[in-house]
Amino acid sequence: FLADYSGAERELREIIPLAARVGEDRLVAVAWSNLVFVIGGRLGRSEEALFLRLALDQALARIQDPKLEATAAANVGWVLVLNATKMDEALKQAEVARRLSERAFSPDDGDWVQGLYLEAAALGGADRYEESLAAYERALTLAIRVSGPQHPTVGVARYNAGLVLLDLGRLRQAAERFERALRIFEKAYGPTHG
């Protein structure tokens, strides 16, 4: 399901009317949120995904779930960032998602860090590298506190900070981040993980 995005799209499109028919409004909203991300963030059809956002907004309005609203806002933000379209809109969406995440999740919840990742990625996509690095550093600090220093989430934060340092021309610092991320990934997944 996770690697077959076309299959995921088909399944999500089947789930939505079935869930709506039996009154499962939360499941409808979750499916719309995931469908927007799959279509726009993974299949590259951002315009279609942003159009479907209208249905997502309607589904969210029916259930009033702050955590799902934060996740859906992040999914829309990732559509904008991953397709490198409308970076000004992506930055605004990232800020909305971060604020919603801060309100919906406790700082000790791993979901809270996702808003920071999105914000950092949007800032990097807008060539605001110093701000992007600062956001990844905040995400790294939070990920270490929430998950521990050897968790793969920490490796992702280190790796992404390394990419920004590379963009800034800070090669030694970037190499150090990449090496630390690699050690975390090897410990978590083994040295030959794909």
Side-chain angles (χ1 to χ4, degrees), residues 14 107 120 166 172 176:
E14 290 173 9
L166 208 61
R172 274 199 188 120
E176 184 270 336

Side-chain angles (χ1 to χ4, degrees), residues 66-131:
K67 290 182 178 182
L68 186 52
E69 284 181 44
T71 300
N75 282 348
V76 170
W78 282 115
V79 167
L80 296 165
V81 168
L82 292 171
N83 290 289
T85 59
K86 306 174 187 175
M87 287 314 293
D88 288 341
E89 189 178 340
L91 285 166
K92 290 176 189 168
Q93 185 66 31
E95 183 165 328
V96 166
R98 183 186 47 78
R99 277 195 319 249
L100 288 170
S101 291
E102 288 173 352
R103 277 189 244 136
F105 303 108
S106 88
D108 294 325
D109 189 327
D111 288 324
W112 198 75
V113 78
Q114 298 306 317
L116 289 173
Y117 282 149
L118 174 60
E119 181 177 42
L123 288 164
D127 298 332
R128 293 168 52 183
Y129 299 118
E130 291 291 344
E131 294 170 86

Side-chain angles (χ1 to χ4, degrees), residues 32-33 35 73 83-84 89 92 94 100 110-111 134 150 167 171 178:
W32 275 117
S33 178
L35 183 61
N83 290 289
E89 189 178 340
K92 290 176 189 168
L100 288 170
D111 288 324
Q150 296 302 312
D167 287 332
L171 303 182
F178 291 144

Side-chain angles (χ1 to χ4, degrees), residues 19 25 40 44 55 61 75 80 90 93 96 107 110 115 136-138 143 146 156-157 160 162 164 174 179 181 185 192:
D25 290 340
N75 282 348
L80 296 165
Q93 185 66 31
V96 166
Y136 278 126
E137 293 295 334
R138 288 192 310 274
V146 170
V156 170
N160 288 334
V164 175
E179 288 169 8
F185 295 142
T192 59

Side-chain angles (χ1 to χ4, degrees), residues 132-133 136-137 140 155-168 173-174 177-178:
S132 176
L133 181 60
Y136 278 126
E137 293 295 334
L140 176 60
V156 170
R158 289 192 188 285
Y159 176 81
N160 288 334
L163 291 174
V164 175
L165 287 164
L166 208 61
D167 287 332
L168 290 168
Q173 289 176 302
R177 295 296 169 88
F178 291 144

